[in-house]
């Protein structure tokens, strides 16, 4: 055997060993095993538990406080979209003199951070007077949905059913505990 034959022989064996190694790693069985793993993953992944609410409708979790009812982050205003009546001559639950409470309202669910309970809060607009400009305009929208979800949208003048539909301010009355 010449030196040339030996080199050719060595190249043959090296090529065969390489081909066997590639075939072993990327053979049909290896491919099927990987594809099967992928299929199992794709089937199982969607049923794994994860938060599907995407921060949407539900209980209030935003940071709120319980001491200053003249500030927008007071816990009871978690879904209030309007002026605070207690800054306009009324109280947390009573309309200012000369205005009347709306016949319809938006009900939100707010968590009181002091006791950890969820309360139903009725936001009624006070109607029949010009808009109060003595209050910050609060715009908290816990649980709100876009306007096309009728009944789940709070950016609405609730004076619509009153004889005098001018919007003045909004009160926030507790109407129950959410179960
Ligand atoms: N509910 C308060 C309000 C009044 C008019 C327009 C938007 C929101």
């Amino acid at each position: 055997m010449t030196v040339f034959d030996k080199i050719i022989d060595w190249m043959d064996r090296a090529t065969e060993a390489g081909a066997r190694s590639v075939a072993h790693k990327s053979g049909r069985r290896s491919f099927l095993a990987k594809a099967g793993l992928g299929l199992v993953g794709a089937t199982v992944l969607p049923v794994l538990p994860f938060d599907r609410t995407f921060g949407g409708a539900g209980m209030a979790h935003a940071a709120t406080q319980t001491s200053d009812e003249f500030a927008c982050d007071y816990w009871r205003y978690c879904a209030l979209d309007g002026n605070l009546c207690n800054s306009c001559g009324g109280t947390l639950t009573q309309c200012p003199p000369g205005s009347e409470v709306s016949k319809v309202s938006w009900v939100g669910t707010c968590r009181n951070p002091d006791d950890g309970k969820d309360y139903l809060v009725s936001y009624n607009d006070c109607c029949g007077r010009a808009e109060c400009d003595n209050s910050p305009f609060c715009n908290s929208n816990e649980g709100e949905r876009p306007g096309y979800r009728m009944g789940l949208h709070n950016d609405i003048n609730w004076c619509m059913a009153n004889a005098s539909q001018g919007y003045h301010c909004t009160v926030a009355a507790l109407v129950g505990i959410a179960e």
Side-chain angles (χ1 to χ4, degrees):
M1 191 183 266
T2 64
V3 175
F4 182 73
D5 287 337
K6 281 184 182 164
I7 290 174
I8 294 292
D9 188 46
W10 176 82
M11 282 174 71
D12 273 351
R13 275 186 279 119
T15 306
E16 185 186 337
R20 279 186 192 283
S21 167
V22 169
H24 181 72
K25 284 184 191 143
S26 59
R28 234 179 332 179
R29 265 179 295 176
S30 167
F31 169 77
L32 285 176
K34 281 179 188 153
L37 209 62
L39 277 175
V40 169
T43 312
V44 168
L45 208 61
V47 296
L48 291 177
F50 68 98
D51 182 6
R52 291 168 199 271
T53 64
F54 306 109
M59 303 305 136
H61 297 293
T64 56
Q65 47 85 17
T66 56
S67 54
D68 181 7
E69 64 179 55
F70 297 93
C72 288
D73 65 351
Y74 184 61
W75 72 277
R76 217 191 263 200
Y77 304 149
C78 79
L80 186 150
D81 185 330
N83 306 309
L84 305 181
C85 285
N86 54 4
S87 296
C88 304
T91 69
L92 199 59
T93 55
Q94 285 187 320
C95 288
S99 64
E100 64 168 14
V101 70
S102 63
K103 295 188 194 305
V104 287
S105 71
W106 157 272
V107 176
T109 304
C110 299
R111 179 161 299 166
N112 182 332
D114 282 352
D115 62 12
K117 289 187 177 149
D118 295 314
Y119 290 84
L120 300 176
V121 186
S122 178
Y123 301 108
N124 285 77
D125 288 344
C126 295
C127 319
R129 278 183 63 180
E131 183 163 353
C132 169
D133 58 7
N134 198 41
S135 149
F137 191 90
C138 302
N139 190 15
S140 309
N141 302 308
E142 286 285 349
E144 194 211 15
R145 281 288 182 256
Y148 58 82
R149 298 284 307 274
M150 290 297 285
L152 293 178
H153 186 64
N154 73 351
D155 189 11
I156 284 172
N157 181 355
W158 299 111
C159 297
M160 63 175 92
N162 287 52
S164 189
Q165 296 170 354
Y167 169 70
H168 188 51
C169 60
T170 306
V171 291
L174 293 186
V175 290
I177 293 188
E179 296 294 326

